[in-house]
Amino acid sequence: MVKERSLINVRSFWYFLLSFPTLNDRFLLSNIRQLTGCSMKQIAEAFFSLEGKMRYLKHMQRALHNYGLQPSMFGKKGIVLYVLVKLLKPSIVVETGVEHGVSTSFILMALEDNNYGKLFSIDIPSNTLPKRKVSGWLIPEGLKQRWSLLIGRSKDILKPLLSQLSTIDIFFHDSEHTYYNMLYEYLVAYQHLREGGILLSDDVSLNKAFFDFCAIVHRKPIRFSFGLGGISV
């Protein structure tokens, strides 16, 4: 009975990932095209390549289920992050905010597919983590070789890290969503983005930081329906 229930959960999870009409969502596809400059064919191929990551997706689903967390945590954001990283083939990605490691895992899956690139993540362990679990506990071990985790506040770590890295390809904000912190991270990271790179942020609708930032740097804000926003450089 337990084995059968587990199989049903995995099937339901996979159906969940495919449940939204991504390739029929012209608005979403247009946003990805604007950020990457890639063709619709390239974008579709990137989406379909996620099927090759089933072993990781199953691992993550089971881990979430074991701790009473819902697979809906994945949503569109993780899949779109995977596609963007898959298409842009970045050398360096910097992320603020890890928590369980859902978004981090999707980024790392794309880096593995590319066989290229490194992810640097900054995080402060949250009280929402399962007991005795650390930041990124959900990330499959097989993905961690391209990952470096720095523990601390972005206001203390981000500038020194970016100075050390010099130039980055993708920046993704998903840490403390206050106006000051979001604007601070955007402005600091923007200075280190290469031409053709992208800046991404979760929860852009929580305040005006993202849109004020876009006005400051004279870039068109690209906003997805599920809270993700971005600009291309």
Side-chain angles (χ1 to χ4, degrees), residues 207-226:
N207 55 56
K208 294 177 60 181
F210 178 70
F211 303 100
D212 286 351
F213 161 73
C214 292
I216 291 169
V217 298
H218 306 290
R219 296 287 175 176
K220 175 186 175 182
I222 297 172
R223 183 178 178 182
F224 293 85
S225 62
F226 45 92

Side-chain angles (χ1 to χ4, degrees), residues 128-194:
T128 62
L129 294 174
K131 191 174 181 179
R132 292 190 292 276
K133 291 296 183 181
V134 298
S135 299
W137 68 273
L138 188 66
I139 302 169
E141 285 297 325
L143 294 174
K144 291 184 178 180
Q145 62 180 349
R146 295 187 179 277
W147 184 49
S148 292
L149 173 64
L150 296 86
I151 298 296
R153 294 187 178 278
S154 61
K155 67 178 183 179
D156 300 320
I157 296 177
L158 185 58
K159 265 189 178 180
L161 172 64
L162 292 173
S163 295
Q164 177 186 345
L165 296 173
S166 183
T167 303
I168 64 174
D169 303 282
I170 297 175
F171 174 76
F172 175 49
H173 161 84
D174 197 11
S175 62
E176 183 183 358
H177 297 313
T178 63
Y179 179 91
Y180 171 80
N181 188 63
M182 293 171 80
L183 186 59
Y184 169 79
E185 289 189 9
Y186 302 152
L187 291 171
V188 170
Y190 183 78
Q191 300 175 51
H192 294 268
L193 280 166
R194 68 163 174 84

